[in-house]
Amino acid sequence: MSKFGELIDVDIPVLLDFFTEWNEESTTMHPVLRDVAAALGDKAKVIKIDVDKNKELAEALRVKGLPTLIIYKNGEMKWRHSGEQDANTLIGIIKDYL
């Protein structure tokens, strides 16, 4: 989990996408997140976390629904949402934390 701390303790927004390959809503978000990452470039990070491979982290963050999207900045959770979002909405939310 110390690696997780290093990932989120940065001064740019970090969007985490908790997903599984077998969840249809999760896989629907993949191209959306690619668009978000492309639009924001190095101003923000987009990190996809497979819940099946990171059960401990998902449990620690109480990830129940998929996909679960969380934005961190400077190690602090700023925003959280379960379910799909469109790229423009996500970009707007992330820009609030730039």
Side-chain angles (χ1 to χ4, degrees):
M1 287 260 240
S2 64
K3 261 186 161 170
F4 178 70
E6 291 170 25
L7 280 178
I8 63 167
D9 196 14
V10 291
D11 60 3
I12 61 170
V14 179
L15 172 63
L16 303 178
D17 168 39
F18 288 87
F19 76 99
T20 61
E21 289 300 338
W22 49 264
N23 178 276
E24 198 175 320
E25 284 185 354
S26 291
T27 53
T28 303
M29 285 300 296
H30 293 341
V32 171
L33 294 167
R34 264 196 301 276
D35 291 347
V36 170
L40 293 169
D42 58 3
K43 292 188 202 119
K45 276 199 242 181
V46 176
I47 301 170
K48 292 173 17 177
I49 299 174
D50 188 332
V51 171
D52 290 334
K53 294 176 183 161
N54 297 279
K55 285 187 170 95
E56 209 176 289
L57 177 59
E59 283 174 21
L61 292 174
R62 294 186 175 95
V63 172
K64 303 278 187 247
L66 295 174
T68 292
L69 305 164
I70 304 175
I71 297 174
Y72 279 91
K73 186 172 180 181
N74 297 319
E76 191 181 316
M77 187 185 298
K78 299 291 186 183
W79 178 86
R80 181 178 178 134
H81 176 82
S82 288
E84 296 176 63
Q85 281 282 355
D86 66 271
N88 290 334
T89 302
L90 281 172
I91 291 165
I93 292 166
I94 292 168
K95 282 185 174 177
D96 288 345
Y97 300 107
L98 290 177

